[in-house]
Amino acid sequence: MQWTVVVPLKPLARAKTRLSDTAADGLRPGLALAFAQDTVAAALDCAAVRDVAVVTDDPLAGRELATLGARIVPDEPAGGLNAALAHAAADVRRLRPGGALAALNADLPALRPMELARVLDAAAEFPRSFLPDAAGIGTTLLAATPGRELLPAFGTDSRVRHRDSGAVELALDAVDSVRQDVDTGDDLRAALALGVGPRTAEAAARLLIPGQPGC
């Protein structure tokens, strides 16, 4: 099964505020963009992914991610994460009414194409399914097979909310790169330990991160 992956990205100036203990205000937008670039590049390299649509209103992010090969969907509702995903899902389904659809976080800088393929192959067995994040509280991927609505419920305690919505929780080992999103300094250290993409590695080299070589 081939998937269209939808990646939501808020304006870079408002992204990753919880990294304030690790990255200064002037560095966080570039770091958020690097996360998204490495996430999108890895998704596009995944054999199970047909294409990637990024829903964002950030001009710089739109240009940079389009250069990688993503299709940019304007965030017309401007009503938050779930509204943006629902809007993008409807847009994708207009173009590919019989396609499979997956929402993927934009902050997975360690994402590995083969691990993403494993998750999507598992998701193909269920009408709707999701992968919990490394913390076991949130969600990094929500999938809907052809003919099914995505029904995103991201945000606080989204693992519970997606499970309560009827989505099947995917219990997979050895897909750490798909589960390791980055909201905090500890998350970033965990992603760096897994091995991040080149843009995140370059951006993170500008930071003083305790526990990393040279710090």
Side-chain angles (χ1 to χ4, degrees):
M1 183 179 292
Q2 290 287 291
W3 297 78
T4 292
V5 171
V6 176
V7 177
L9 182 61
K10 67 172 62 174
L12 297 176
R14 295 193 284 108
K16 297 301 155 195
T17 56
R18 290 172 62 191
L19 278 171
S20 59
D21 63 341
T22 303
D25 290 350
L27 295 177
R28 284 200 305 275
L31 199 58
L33 176 58
F35 294 166
Q37 288 173 304
D38 286 333
T39 299
V40 168
L44 286 167
D45 282 343
C46 176
V49 174
R50 182 197 303 270
D51 54 2
V52 173
V54 176
V55 54
T56 186
D57 271 342
D58 190 285
L60 173 60
R63 288 194 301 272
E64 294 295 329
L65 297 172
T67 298
L68 293 177
R71 185 169 68 86
I72 306 304
V73 179
D75 183 9
E76 292 177 358
L81 176 58
N82 292 312
L85 283 171
H87 167 67
D91 182 81
V92 168
R93 284 280 166 81
R94 279 194 296 270
L95 296 175
R96 300 189 187 279
L101 183 64
L104 183 70
N105 286 10
D107 57 353
L108 298 169
L111 185 64
R112 295 170 185 162
M114 290 185 65
E115 292 185 13
L116 177 58
R118 283 194 61 221
V119 175
L120 292 174
D121 287 347
E125 301 298 318
F126 306 100
R128 287 177 66 245
S129 57
F130 72 97
L131 187 74
D133 64 9
I137 299 170
T139 302
T140 58
L141 180 142
L142 174 67
T145 50
R148 303 289 180 167
E149 295 296 324
L150 191 61
L151 303 179
F154 286 88
T156 305
D157 296 326
S158 66
R159 180 183 188 179
V160 171
R161 291 196 284 154
H162 282 133
R163 187 191 299 142
D164 289 348
S165 76
V168 173
E169 181 172 326
L170 299 172
L172 297 172
D173 295 325
V175 292
D176 292 348
S177 76
V178 197
R179 300 181 66 217
Q180 187 58 66
D181 55 352
V182 176
D183 288 317
T184 67
D186 286 342
D187 294 336
L188 181 54
R189 282 184 280 273
L192 290 168
L194 286 174
V196 296
R199 298 163 187 86
T200 300
E202 181 180 354
R206 305 187 189 103
L207 308 177
L208 183 64
I209 304 177
Q212 292 301 307
C215 295

